[in-house]
């Protein structure tokens, strides 16, 4: 095989290997925390030498940045599509919750990292976008809840901000126990969750 062909094959395999390494790093960050994780620990989990990892990434910060930015980019692609669909308030909440559980399925470790680390990461210049995303997130959810109250779809006595915090935290905490390929699909979990939140768990009197 020629040197050129070998190089082309290596370049073709690089994106896949990069994704595998990021998936491994995400699991290590989620389990051990960002500060406690070293490049050596990630390399050990990936079955390679620490020096070899630098062939793909210049630092663990770069790895974390790519993990979180990829997750948030996909999340907002889904959220923006929901918000642009012209749905009613209840249907928008249902769609946002469903999209959230789908993202947990696709990026469970990234969600866990975001939950644990975002508060202090926003102090770092490289991660200022986390605060911007949080503001967008809050605006989308609060706006939908407010619209639902104004339209008479949700109760007039609803504490909008408290409801937002409850829904936000109870959805995303699922990353701590959800495992892809488990008994329930993301859409089924979303359906059960929405049934409890919107309709309650007690039998009607």
């Amino acid at each position: 095989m020629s040197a050129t062909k070998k190089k082309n094959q290596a370049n073709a395999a690089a994106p896949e290997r990069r994704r595998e390494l990021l998936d491994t790093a995400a699991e290590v960050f989620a389990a051990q925390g960002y500060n406690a994780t070293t490049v050596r620990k990630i390399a050990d989990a990936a079955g390679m030498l620490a020096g070899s990892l630098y062939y793909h990434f210049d630092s663990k910060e770069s790895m974390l940045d790519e993990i979180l930015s990829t997750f948030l980019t996909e999340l907002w692609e889904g959220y923006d599509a929901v918000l642009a669909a012209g749905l009613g308030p209840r249907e928008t909440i249902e769609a946002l919750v469903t999209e959230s559980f789908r993202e947990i399925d696709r990026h469970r470790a990234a969600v866990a990292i975001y939950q644990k680390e975002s508060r202090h990461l926003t102090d770092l210049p490289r991660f200022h976008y986390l605060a911007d995303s949080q503001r967008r997130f809050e605006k989308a959810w609060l706006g939908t809840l407010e619209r639902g109250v104004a339209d008479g779809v949700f109760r007039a006595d609803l504490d909008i901000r408290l409801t937002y915090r409850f829904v936000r935290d109870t959805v995303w905490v699922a990353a701590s126990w959800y495992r892809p390929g488990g008994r329930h699909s993301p859409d089924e979990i979303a359906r059960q969750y929405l049934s409890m939140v919107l309709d309650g768990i007690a039998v009607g009197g």
Side-chain angles (χ1 to χ4, degrees):
M1 182 183 296
S2 69
T4 300
K5 189 172 183 179
K6 286 182 179 180
K7 184 177 181 180
N8 289 340
Q9 288 181 344
N11 289 339
E16 182 177 349
R17 181 55 174 160
R18 185 182 182 87
R19 172 46 50 194
E20 290 173 354
L21 293 173
L22 286 172
D23 289 344
T24 298
E27 293 293 339
V28 178
F29 285 136
Q32 300 186 20
Y34 176 67
N35 288 333
T37 298
T38 62
V39 171
R40 181 175 294 278
K41 287 181 179 180
I42 297 171
D44 288 345
M48 64 194 302
L49 297 174
S52 299
L53 196 59
Y54 285 110
Y55 174 79
H56 301 276
F57 306 96
D58 60 18
S59 65
K60 72 171 188 175
E61 184 178 76
S62 293
M63 300 184 79
L64 183 63
D65 184 11
E66 191 163 340
I67 290 165
L68 292 177
S69 62
T70 298
F71 154 60
L72 288 174
T73 296
E74 289 193 16
L75 175 69
W76 279 108
E77 285 175 355
Y79 271 24
D80 286 342
V82 169
L83 296 171
L87 302 173
R90 177 172 177 138
E91 291 75 22
T92 299
I93 291 292
E94 290 173 342
L96 289 174
V97 166
T98 300
E99 187 60 37
S100 298
F101 279 110
R102 288 173 180 169
E103 285 302 315
I104 292 172
D105 179 63
R106 289 191 284 260
H107 297 286
R108 184 201 60 80
V111 173
I113 296 166
Y114 183 86
Q115 292 290 95
K116 296 176 184 177
E117 309 282 357
S118 60
R119 183 171 296 179
H120 71 264
L121 285 174
T122 54
D123 294 332
L124 303 176
R126 188 166 190 166
F127 294 97
H128 281 174
Y129 63 84
L130 297 178
D132 294 336
S133 182
Q134 180 58 40
R135 284 189 287 269
R136 289 179 65 193
F137 189 89
E138 183 172 312
K139 181 179 178 181
W141 285 83
L142 288 176
T144 302
L145 290 168
E146 289 169 353
R147 184 161 58 95
V149 171
D151 291 354
V153 176
F154 301 140
R155 295 194 338 245
D157 64 340
L158 202 65
D159 186 314
I160 299 297
R161 188 162 291 276
L162 181 61
T163 303
Y164 157 69
R165 289 173 176 168
F166 170 77
V167 172
R168 176 196 65 191
D169 292 348
T170 52
V171 167
W172 293 109
V173 75
S176 67
W177 53 260
Y178 177 78
R179 293 297 179 270
R183 179 179 177 185
H184 300 293
S185 70
D187 284 25
E188 171 61 17
I189 294 173
R191 189 187 69 78
Q192 290 280 348
Y193 174 85
L194 287 163
S195 176
M196 289 185 282
V197 170
L198 296 176
D199 301 319
I201 62 173
V203 176

